[in-house]
Amino acid sequence: MHNSGPGPQVRALAGSSYKSDEAKFKEMADASTALAKAYIQLFKDAAGAAGASPPTAEGGAAKPAGSGTRQLAAARMHLRGVLKQCEASFSEHASWQELAALMQQVTALEDKALAAAKAAAADSK
């Protein structure tokens, strides 16, 4: 069975010397960017599906399983780990800066989604 996508690539690079080798770091940064963007897209797809769901008996849209912020949390945790592990060696590297910017994007999306969920919960009471 062949796994495609950024997940297997990230796992393969996790055991490498990406924390100190610039070429390996660049590979890890590229794979991590692809993984985080995939998580963001999964979140957006789930959020879109939740908005298109038929109404529930209470009048709100039904949320499909997994439509929460799990994808964003996974992206945030992965990016946070890579950024922390590589900060001492590569914080000035353009790829590290891109990962940091992506982390900010993920955090902003997650904060917005959590605030919307909280507001929806308050409205339903």
Side-chain angles (χ1 to χ4, degrees), residues 50-104:
S53 296
T56 63
E58 294 82 26
K63 283 190 167 188
S67 66
T69 58
R70 285 181 290 161
Q71 296 88 358
L72 295 176
R76 176 180 41 81
M77 289 185 288
H78 172 72
L79 290 171
R80 181 177 56 197
V82 172
L83 287 167
K84 280 186 177 187
Q85 291 172 351
C86 299
E87 185 173 18
S89 300
F90 298 111
S91 63
E92 300 299 320
H93 197 283
S95 294
W96 192 93
Q97 299 292 329
E98 290 170 20
L99 288 175
L102 190 55
M103 172 78 160
Q104 289 178 336

Side-chain angles (χ1 to χ4, degrees), residues 17-32:
S17 57
Y18 74 91
K19 299 170 199 165
S20 58
D21 180 299
E22 185 173 359
K24 293 285 186 191
F25 167 71
K26 177 74 171 114
E27 286 181 58
M28 180 60 132
D30 291 345
S32 295

